[in-house]
């Protein structure tokens, strides 16, 4: 099986790559999920920001509100930015038959799912913040839900695309969760200090 | 005459085969049945509210009849985006039209069941039962009807398997929380016999702390309950002397 990576009309000879035996390049390339566009990723970040802003309305004082509003974006997007390369590198290292686009696309789909859930629960959060003093609980539960949605969709996309067991991806999810919690505490500490 | 026949036919289908109202193109169904379902939900809830108001009588009858429809409709409006997002994340591809139609059918069916069962509640209230028994009877009726509505909504929404089950559980939790808190915000539905009648109380504390305090009291722990004014809509200055 061969792949041509340059046009065949004139010019230099096409580069031909021959995959090593035992690797299922063709099958796995067929399953590459579509990498989400920049606009859809920005929409997802917007959904997270909307959820943060809705819950922050209940925080006491401007400083606490600012920090609370940043928690979903910083906690989730920050964790994905910091740990995403590990997922990609892990796939390149441990699963060389998987196209590089697969983990990238899975991360994008996970972010999209998190943004979609965050935007969906934003009106619910606004209602609870407007009628109760439970903004911190709403923020925590909503953030946990978006994180779970992100992890679930990322795992599902990877499993669907690779057709393999998650394996080390579970370790990555654990690492990403720890990094996310650390970032959340760092960003939300001011809000927690002021909160009653 | 045609409109009344249409309403009767819709009510019959709501009780007999509610899933049939959700078949076909959801936008067309929503256009066709939406206003009628909304009317059925509002009128049925208002009838039930009127019956609830008979416990105190007088102007409370009108107040309860106005607020009960809001109790059913606020959770739909607030949780509609969340229900759609949760279903999509769980792999159930639904759009707003499908979710709105399913929620409307579920709400209308629940309100209709409550309305037709309201004479039983009226009978109970006419026996001059205690305030707490009256509140418990109201809560039980609402929970039972809410269960019917949520079950109907879940049946109409597409999808199957574990994904739909998880999405339904999350949706029930979201709707349940908003329903409970809406009831708390819109209270009193049943005014205490000697209390001053008011359309709504000030926004204070939340339904969860109230339930916790009731639970403590039921176990003999009467440590009291600090119902502070909280939330964006509350007026904290009202607490200050």
């Amino acid at each position: 099986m061969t792949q041509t990576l340059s046009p065949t009309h004139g010019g230099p000879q096409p580069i031909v790559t021959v995959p090593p035996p035992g690797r299922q390049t063709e099958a796995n390339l067929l399953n590459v999920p579509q990498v989400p566009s920049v606009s859809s990723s920005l929409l997802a970040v917007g959904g997270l920001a909307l959820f943060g802003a809705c819950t922050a309305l209940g925080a006491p004082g401007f400083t606490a509100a600012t920090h609370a509003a940043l928690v979903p974006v910083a906690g989730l997007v920050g964790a994905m930015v910091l740990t995403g390369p590990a997922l990609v590198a892990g796939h390149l290292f441990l699963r060389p038959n998987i196209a590089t686009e697969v983990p990238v696309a899975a991360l994008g789909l996970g972010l999209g799912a998190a943004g979609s859930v965050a935007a969906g629960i934003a009106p619910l959060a606004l209602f609870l913040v407007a009628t109760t003093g439970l903004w911190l609980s709403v923020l925590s539960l909503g953030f946990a839900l978006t994180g779970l949605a992100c992890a679930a969709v990322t795992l599902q996309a990877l499993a669907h695309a690779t057709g393999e067991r998650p394996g080390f991806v579970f370790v990555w999810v654990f690492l990403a969760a720890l990094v996310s919690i650390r970032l959340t505490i760092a960003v939300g500490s001011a809000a927690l200090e002021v909160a009653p | 005459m045609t409109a009344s026949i249409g309403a009767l036919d819709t009510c019959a289908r709501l009780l007999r085969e509610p899933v049939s109202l959700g078949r076909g193109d959801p936008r067309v169904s929503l256009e066709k049945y939406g206003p009628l379902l909304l009317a059925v939900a509002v009128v049925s809830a208002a009838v039930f509210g009127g019956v609830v108001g008979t416990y105190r009588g007088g102007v409370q009858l009108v107040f309860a009849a106005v607020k009960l429809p809001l109790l059913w409709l606020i959770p739909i409006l607030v949780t509609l985006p969340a229900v759609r997002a949760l279903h999509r994340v769980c792999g159930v591809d639904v759009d707003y039209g499908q979710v709105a139609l399913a929620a409307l059918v579920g709400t209308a069916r629940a309100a209709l069941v409550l309305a037709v069962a309201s004479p039983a509640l009226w009978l109970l209230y006419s026996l001059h039962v205690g305030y707490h028994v009256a509140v418990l009877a109201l809560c039980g009726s609402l929970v039972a009807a809410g269960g019917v509505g949520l079950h109907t909504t879940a049946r109409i929404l597409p999808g199957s398997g574990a994904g739909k089950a998880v999405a339904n559980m999350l949706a029930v939790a979201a709707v349940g929380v908003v329903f409970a808190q809406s009831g708390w915000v819109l209270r009193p539905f049943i005014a205490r016999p000697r209390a001053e009648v008011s359309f709504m109380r000030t926004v204070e504390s939340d339904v969860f702390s109230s339930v916790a305090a009731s639970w403590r009291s039921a176990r003999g722990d009467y440590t009291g309950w600090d119902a502070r004014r909280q939330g964006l809509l509350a007026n904290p200055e009202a607490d200050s002397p």
Side-chain angles (χ1 to χ4, degrees):
Chain A
M1 190 201 70
T2 60
Q3 280 185 299
T4 58
L5 298 180
S6 67
T8 52
H9 53 83
Q13 286 294 312
I15 302 168
V16 178
T17 60
V18 181
R23 294 186 175 182
Q24 303 165 352
T25 311
E26 189 177 16
N28 289 320
L29 280 175
L30 287 175
N31 289 331
V32 174
Q34 192 180 3
V35 178
S37 63
V38 175
S39 59
S40 67
S41 299
L42 285 176
L43 267 177
V45 175
L48 289 166
L50 180 69
F51 170 66
C54 286
T55 49
L57 287 172
F62 182 74
T63 311
T66 310
H67 283 77
L70 287 173
V71 162
V73 175
L76 202 77
V77 180
M80 291 184 89
V81 168
L82 289 177
T83 62
L87 182 70
V88 177
H91 270 88
L92 294 177
F93 184 68
L94 296 169
R95 295 174 173 174
N97 56 328
I98 304 298
T100 314
E101 289 89 341
V102 170
V104 176
L107 281 171
L109 290 172
L111 179 63
S116 166
V117 169
I121 61 174
L124 198 158
L126 187 61
F127 172 77
L128 291 176
V129 164
T131 59
T132 70
L134 302 172
W135 66 274
L136 196 55
S137 304
V138 174
L139 178 63
S140 308
L141 280 174
F143 181 60
L145 187 64
T146 54
L148 276 174
C150 179
V153 170
T154 304
L155 280 171
Q156 209 172 20
L158 280 173
H160 183 255
T162 62
E164 295 179 20
R165 287 184 174 185
F168 79 95
V169 182
F170 277 133
V171 179
W172 174 81
V173 169
F174 185 64
L175 172 72
L178 288 180
V179 170
S180 177
I181 291 168
R182 181 67 190 90
L183 284 172
T184 303
I185 291 172
V187 176
S189 56
L192 291 171
E193 281 169 15
V194 184
Chain B
M1 185 68 184
T2 312
S4 62
I5 290 172
L8 282 175
D9 178 55
T10 306
C11 288
R13 289 178 69 182
L14 263 178
L15 294 173
R16 191 176 290 163
E17 44 178 16
V19 180
S20 69
L21 293 167
R23 288 194 192 120
D25 186 354
R27 293 195 185 282
V28 174
S29 299
L30 204 55
E31 222 169 80
K32 188 176 175 185
Y33 298 113
L36 206 52
L37 289 171
L38 193 62
V40 168
V42 169
V43 171
S44 303
V47 167
F48 182 73
V51 170
V52 170
T54 59
Y55 182 76
R56 173 64 187 258
V59 74
Q60 183 63 27
L61 201 143
V62 180
F63 286 170
V66 170
K67 287 190 291 184
L68 244 303
L70 292 175
L71 178 62
W72 285 108
L73 297 178
I74 287 175
I76 294 184
L77 290 174
V78 172
T79 59
L80 199 67
V83 171
R84 175 181 172 265
L86 291 170
H87 275 82
R88 287 175 76 96
V89 162
C90 291
V92 182
D93 195 19
V94 291
D95 60 21
Y96 275 116
Q98 286 170 306
V99 180
L101 181 66
L104 206 49
V105 171
T107 303
R109 191 173 195 225
L112 194 59
V113 167
L114 264 188
V116 297
S118 56
L121 193 71
W122 173 81
L123 184 65
L124 181 71
Y125 286 180
S126 70
L127 298 174
H128 304 292
V129 293
Y131 174 74
H132 292 289
V133 175
V135 171
L136 280 176
L138 172 63
C139 291
S141 309
L142 290 173
V143 169
V148 170
L150 287 169
H151 179 66
T152 305
T153 304
R155 276 177 63 200
I156 293 173
L157 284 172
S160 60
K164 189 182 178 185
V166 172
N168 282 339
M169 278 196 294
L170 291 171
V172 166
V175 174
V177 165
V178 175
F179 190 78
Q181 181 62 19
S182 299
W184 178 256
V185 171
L186 291 169
R187 78 193 191 288
F189 297 100
I190 301 173
R192 285 177 188 272
R194 289 184 184 79
E196 191 181 332
V197 174
S198 61
F199 185 66
M200 278 171 67
R201 290 187 197 159
T202 52
V203 177
E204 59 182 12
S205 200
D206 53 80
V207 67
F208 313 107
S209 62
S210 165
V211 170
S214 299
W215 178 250
R216 282 200 305 272
S217 299
R219 297 175 68 190
D221 178 9
Y222 301 102
T223 49
W225 175 46
D226 183 18
R228 285 180 297 178
R229 287 170 171 77
Q230 292 174 318
L232 282 178
L233 298 177
N235 179 15
E237 289 175 7
D239 271 343
S240 57

